[in-house]
Amino acid sequence: MDQHNASSDMDVEVSELGDEVASTLNLSASGNRAPGNQADMDTLDTNDYEEIDFGERDEAPIEESDDEDMEESAVTMSEQTGAGRDVFTSVDGSKGADIEEKSPEEESLAMFIGHTDSIYAVSLSSNGLRAVTGAGDDKAMVWETSSGKRLFELSGHTDTIVSVGFNHTDEIIATASYDSTIRLYDSKTGNFLRALEGPGSEIEWMQWHSKGNVIVCGSEDGTAWIWNANDGKCMAVLAGHEASVTCGMFTRNGKLVTGSMDGTV
């Protein structure tokens, strides 16, 4: 496959995609750039600046230190004794003070206990009051962050959940799975809303648009898919990568960037 042609095709699709997504969100795809955008910054010419002579500076004298004093003050960790207690020993062999490590329960503000397999995804609501997690037990769970209380369980997937997230208003939760589907839920009740289907292989990642109910995901089959979450309709399928699409994101002006195991972006 001609890599140059593939890149050109992708540029055309991304450009057209930006207009379509912007139209869906009632935004301008070619709107003003965000403050601090690199493209808007003037190139700095170092010749425009004068060289400033700060004059001679007095340097503080360097005191010679005694090697023996340094050895006596050096501390290294030599052994661990007992659960959660580290004993530090000086170089000269004398014992230092015990340092007691805190348990995860003592260090954490809250712990979310409920999944029965490895957790692969976590996301916070915009106000930080709720969290959603996805795991290898094919379940997603919504939690109260202040207490660690489980609010409800989101079921329906048949394989590992690899990506989760709240939409821009925190009203909808999306979960993406290796079962090749994305499922949408009401974030207040946990009720199932609809499924987004299409990829022919495992979904690797998912992301909400920051200003509207548009979702993009990348698949193991080398494609990226975009849906309107309001009605579940597919807005675009982007092909061009020769391997799994493992990452991606919407830019601030509505364009889409994807990365693949084929080594291209």
Side-chain angles (χ1 to χ4, degrees), residues 8-248:
S8 299
D9 293 342
M10 180 63 76
D11 292 340
V12 173
E13 293 180 43
V14 168
S15 178
E16 294 174 350
L17 168 64
D19 295 334
E20 184 174 354
V21 171
S23 176
T24 301
L25 304 179
N26 194 23
L27 301 171
S28 170
S30 57
N32 296 332
R33 293 180 181 272
N37 192 297
Q38 187 65 30
D40 293 336
M41 296 180 64
D42 295 330
T43 302
L44 299 179
D45 187 349
T46 56
N47 294 326
D48 294 339
Y49 298 88
E50 297 181 0
E51 182 176 349
I52 300 175
D53 184 3
F54 292 96
E56 297 183 357
R57 292 176 295 178
D58 295 333
E59 296 185 359
I62 300 176
E63 297 181 358
E64 295 184 359
S65 57
D66 192 331
D67 290 342
E68 293 183 0
D69 292 339
M70 293 181 65
E71 289 182 0
E72 290 178 359
S73 63
V75 177
T76 60
M77 184 174 67
S78 62
E79 60 180 318
Q80 182 171 342
T81 60
R85 297 187 65 85
D86 290 330
V87 176
F88 292 83
T89 305
S90 301
V91 174
D92 62 3
S94 61
K95 295 287 184 180
D98 288 356
I99 298 179
E100 185 173 358
E101 293 183 351
K102 293 184 178 180
S103 66
E105 290 82 359
E106 294 173 318
E107 291 282 3
S108 305
L109 297 177
M111 292 187 68
F112 307 153
I113 301 175
H115 284 291
T116 59
D117 205 335
S118 301
I119 295 175
Y120 294 100
V122 61
S123 179
L124 290 173
S125 60
S126 59
N127 59 15
L129 297 180
R130 290 174 296 163
V132 57
T133 55
D137 56 11
D138 309 344
K139 298 176 182 177
M141 296 184 184
V142 180
W143 314 82
E144 182 181 71
T145 57
S146 61
S147 64
K149 176 184 177 181
R150 184 173 61 182
L151 300 178
F152 41 79
E153 180 181 302
L154 308 177
S155 59
H157 283 296
T158 59
D159 206 338
T160 297
I161 296 175
V162 295
S163 185
V164 296
F166 292 87
N167 73 334
H168 69 296
T169 61
D170 290 337
E171 297 174 331
I172 305 174
I173 293 174
T175 59
S177 169
Y178 279 160
D179 64 12
S180 305
T181 69
I182 293 175
R183 296 175 67 86
L184 305 180
Y185 303 85
D186 185 311
S187 67
K188 294 181 180 179
T189 64
N191 292 336
F192 172 70
L193 299 177
R194 64 184 57 88
L196 308 179
E197 301 176 341
S201 190
E202 296 177 348
I203 292 177
E204 301 282 1
W205 59 273
M206 169 207 73
Q207 187 188 61
W208 283 98
H209 195 285
S210 62
K211 296 182 179 179
N213 289 334
V214 173
I215 292 180
V216 60
C217 83
S219 174
E220 187 184 36
D221 62 10
T223 60
W225 291 68
I226 300 179
W227 291 273
N228 182 336
N230 292 325
D231 56 18
K233 292 183 179 179
C234 178
M235 298 172 60
V237 179
L238 303 180
H241 287 297
E242 297 180 347
S244 177
V245 181
T246 53
C247 59

